[in-house]
Amino acid sequence: MSGRQRKVVCITELRQACRTCSLQELCLPMGLAAEDIQRLESIVGHKGPLERGRHLFREGDPFQSIYAVRDGALKTYSIDADGREHVLGFHLPGELLGLDAIYPRVNRCSAVALSNASVCVLPYDRLSDLAHEVSGLQSQIFRLLSKDLSISANLATDHTAEERLAGFLISIAARSGAGTELKLVMPRRDIASYLRLATETVSRLLARFQQEGYVEVHRKNLQLLNVEGLRRLGGSFELTGLASAIRRPLRG
Amino acid sequence: MSGRQRKVVCITELRQACRTCSLQELCLPMGLAAEDIQRLESIVGHKGPLERGRHLFREGDPFQSIYAVRDGALKTYSIDADGREHVLGFHLPGELLGLDAIYPRVNRCSAVALSNASVCVLPYDRLSDLAHEVSGLQSQIFRLLSKDLSISANLATDHTAEERLAGFLISIAARSGAGTELKLVMPRRDIASYLRLATETVSRLLARFQQEGYVEVHRKNLQLLNVEGLRRLGGSFELTGLASAIRRPLRG
DNA sequence: AATCAGTATTGACCTGGATCAACAAAACAG
DNA sequence: CTGTTTTGTTGATCCAGGTCAATACTGATT
């Protein structure tokens, strides 16, 4: 385990760090009492930088903390009995990881950095205790779990390759919040695994989307030229519907 | 809305009703204080009987309660933009519904009875308040949400039709807890939708499983003849892995 | 600047499971 | 009982997307 764990000491620094955090509704706009911010702060650790390719946790590790991405990106995945890797999700700044391990108290998947990343560490027992006392925190955790549940349920439904990829692009764009210019940090293979497609299919579809004027692709750099059209292609395959309610909606 | 809502008044009656409930770890084996049982009881309503085909809630309804199945079975589903129905889950006695609506505060799916059913009604606001005070209840809700998340994430992964159906049969058997003799309350069409297959594929696979001696099928009645074999066919497609940790494991 | 390894694209072909179509067996209504 | 509807099975065909194979591109290394 590289990257030591240390306390975040300065509230203003935390505020900055949490600007895009999934707990932001609690921390900032909802005007939590300074006292409560301090209490949350007191249990939040910080880990990083975590180099690209380094694991944050591995399948089978005993569950102790959940994590919030501060910077960079991670993916979660599991390896099945036949050795096939299944990408379960991508985690961008402000998003949480490890929620699915609460129940079994053992990590059900591994998390690895897709680029150099740093994360907030939220020790579950302490977070759970604190949620008991700070009313808004409990509800916020309920809501975050519920949201992930919806996203995951939607991902499980039946859609064509075209719908999946279009929906995915919209989702990444909305979540990375950088407008229509975005960087695909993850390799094609991971996108394909996440969407249950072959890498060749992803590649071909991107080529087609480009040819039809929806996007411009240069390797990992991608420019959305017709967001509305992509949204139409995506149809009901909405990976973002919920997340975007918290975050800045994508104009276009 | 048929079926009036009334208070469950007798603790022993509740104990009975909760015998197979997903909250049982809290209510019973973990020896919650009688006082706390009473408090939980005081907020739990009861609704039913709900006739086959009747809705418990519909997509778009404002979210107020989550539900626990007492008796019978329900399915949750949503209708996409093109009018296609996607079955999101089946809910057997002891299982919860509606958790995915916590976040958006609006139901993301509809729930309909597959057979005559009755449910416990857990008004979310009151449950949430109570979870604040009763320590074990908060953790239990976190765990149930986390569990559903794992199941849903697994359902979203990439598996063959054979793996899906075998995994599904194992899951239903374990959850209905009736050993190897089980009744498929839901029509083939719903199984197919849930597993992202065509009904014809489900039908053909069941025929093949029978021919190969794994099961015996008579319409909705099904007998598992080779549970270990089915488990092997299911491979890593484990819809049950987690649920079975709470419940009686399936021998065979 | 040549080598190598990892990643992405493109083409040719194949197949699992969808779709279409016809039929059978229950469930239900009168 | 007799139609009628709903649900399930089976066969024939088709195609979206997977697989296999060859070819680029990119970046890191020396």
Side-chain angles (χ1 to χ4, degrees):
Chain A
M1 288 269 161
S2 84
R4 68 238 167 274
Q5 202 160 316
R6 65 172 160 81
K7 290 279 172 60
V8 173
V9 279
C10 169
I11 292 185
T12 55
E13 184 193 320
L14 184 76
R15 276 186 184 276
Q16 182 53 30
C18 292
R19 208 162 39 82
T20 59
C21 177
S22 52
L23 295 166
Q24 69 161 313
E25 280 194 342
L26 174 73
C27 299
L28 299 179
M30 296 186 62
L32 194 71
E35 181 202 1
D36 288 334
I37 295 186
Q38 215 145 22
R39 295 170 77 186
L40 182 57
E41 172 198 341
S42 75
I43 68 162
V44 174
H46 179 224
K47 185 171 193 167
L50 193 67
E51 285 160 38
R52 184 192 140 117
R54 284 307 190 84
H55 278 76
L56 180 58
F57 54 79
R58 282 174 192 275
E59 201 166 346
D61 285 352
F63 168 70
Q64 270 156 358
S65 305
I66 60 180
Y67 304 89
V69 182
R70 281 166 70 102
D71 196 58
L74 297 94
K75 74 169 176 186
T76 43
Y77 68 93
S78 66
I79 305 286
D80 73 16
D82 309 329
R84 290 176 295 186
E85 173 181 322
H86 298 267
V87 173
L88 302 175
F90 299 110
H91 306 271
L92 305 186
E95 298 174 350
L96 294 183
L97 295 86
L99 295 173
D100 57 343
I102 293 174
Y103 170 62
R105 288 245 145 204
V106 170
N107 280 301
R108 311 286 305 174
C109 59
S110 306
V112 65
L114 289 168
S115 61
N116 292 351
S118 65
V119 299
C120 288
V121 180
L122 304 157
Y124 179 70
D125 289 335
R126 289 211 263 164
L127 183 67
S128 175
D129 287 347
L130 187 58
H132 238 284
E133 298 167 37
V134 180
S135 150
L137 186 55
Q138 184 196 67
S139 336
Q140 184 66 359
I141 298 173
F142 285 156
R143 296 175 69 201
L144 289 168
L145 278 158
S146 173
K147 187 182 74 168
D148 273 20
L149 194 51
S150 293
I151 290 175
S152 189
N154 186 37
L155 185 61
T157 55
D158 187 25
H159 295 276
T160 63
E162 181 180 277
E163 289 172 319
R164 290 176 177 283
L165 187 61
F168 176 75
L169 295 181
I170 294 286
S171 152
I172 291 291
R175 289 156 62 196
S176 57
T180 57
E181 193 99 34
L182 61 114
K183 179 154 186 167
L184 261 21
V185 273
M186 65 295 285
R188 300 284 192 270
R189 173 174 27 86
D190 287 345
I191 298 177
S193 169
Y194 179 62
L195 300 175
R196 303 194 303 272
L197 301 171
T199 62
E200 293 92 329
T201 302
V202 170
S203 198
R204 273 187 260 264
L205 275 174
L206 282 176
R208 220 192 71 207
F209 285 175
Q210 169 159 266
Q211 184 188 307
E212 291 169 353
Y214 292 106
V215 297
E216 194 155 322
V217 198
H218 288 112
R219 287 269 148 161
K220 296 198 178 289
N221 300 301
L222 204 137
Q223 160 104 281
L224 306 192
L225 301 175
N226 181 357
V227 174
E228 215 22 77
L230 272 180
R231 216 188 295 280
R232 227 176 302 116
L233 286 189
S236 58
F237 189 68
E238 266 294 340
L239 259 17
T240 327
L242 300 157
S244 65
I246 302 191
R247 297 153 153 282
R248 40 239 165 293
L250 193 66
R251 62 227 162 275
Chain B
M1 288 262 165
S2 85
R4 68 236 168 276
Q5 204 160 315
R6 64 172 161 79
K7 289 279 172 59
V8 173
V9 281
C10 168
I11 292 185
T12 56
E13 185 194 319
L14 183 76
R15 275 185 183 277
Q16 182 55 28
C18 292
R19 207 163 38 84
T20 58
C21 178
S22 53
L23 295 166
Q24 71 163 311
E25 279 194 343
L26 173 73
C27 300
L28 299 179
M30 296 187 62
L32 195 70
E35 180 202 0
D36 288 334
I37 294 188
Q38 215 146 20
R39 294 170 78 186
L40 182 56
E41 172 199 342
S42 75
I43 68 162
V44 173
H46 179 225
K47 186 170 190 167
L50 193 66
E51 285 160 38
R52 183 192 139 117
R54 284 307 189 84
H55 278 76
L56 179 59
F57 54 79
R58 283 173 191 276
E59 202 166 346
D61 286 352
F63 168 71
Q64 270 156 359
S65 305
I66 60 179
Y67 303 89
V69 182
R70 282 166 69 104
D71 196 59
L74 297 94
K75 74 169 177 187
T76 43
Y77 68 93
S78 67
I79 305 286
D80 73 16
D82 309 330
R84 291 176 296 185
E85 174 182 322
H86 298 266
V87 173
L88 303 174
F90 300 109
H91 307 270
L92 305 186
E95 298 175 350
L96 294 183
L97 294 86
L99 295 173
D100 57 342
I102 294 174
Y103 169 63
R105 288 246 146 201
V106 169
N107 281 300
R108 310 287 306 173
C109 61
S110 305
V112 65
L114 289 167
S115 61
N116 292 351
S118 65
V119 300
C120 288
V121 180
L122 303 158
Y124 178 70
D125 289 336
R126 290 211 262 165
L127 183 66
S128 175
D129 287 347
L130 186 58
H132 239 283
E133 298 168 37
V134 180
S135 152
L137 186 55
Q138 184 196 67
S139 338
Q140 183 66 358
I141 298 173
F142 284 156
R143 298 175 68 202
L144 289 168
L145 277 158
S146 173
K147 188 182 74 166
D148 274 18
L149 194 52
S150 292
I151 291 174
S152 189
N154 186 36
L155 185 60
T157 55
D158 188 23
H159 295 277
T160 63
E162 180 179 278
E163 288 173 319
R164 290 175 177 282
L165 187 60
F168 175 76
L169 295 180
I170 293 287
S171 153
I172 291 291
R175 288 157 62 195
S176 57
T180 57
E181 193 98 36
L182 62 113
K183 178 152 188 172
L184 260 23
V185 273
M186 66 295 285
R188 300 283 192 271
R189 174 174 27 89
D190 287 344
I191 298 176
S193 169
Y194 179 62
L195 299 175
R196 300 194 305 272
L197 302 171
T199 63
E200 293 92 329
T201 303
V202 170
S203 198
R204 274 187 260 264
L205 275 174
L206 282 175
R208 219 191 72 207
F209 285 175
Q210 170 158 266
Q211 183 188 307
E212 289 169 354
Y214 292 107
V215 296
E216 194 157 322
V217 197
H218 289 110
R219 287 267 149 162
K220 295 195 178 291
N221 300 301
L222 202 138
Q223 160 104 280
L224 305 193
L225 301 174
N226 180 357
V227 174
E228 215 21 78
L230 272 180
R231 216 189 295 278
R232 227 176 302 115
L233 286 188
S236 58
F237 188 67
E238 267 293 339
L239 259 16
T240 328
L242 299 158
S244 66
I246 302 192
R247 298 155 154 278
R248 41 241 166 288
L250 193 65
R251 60 229 162 275

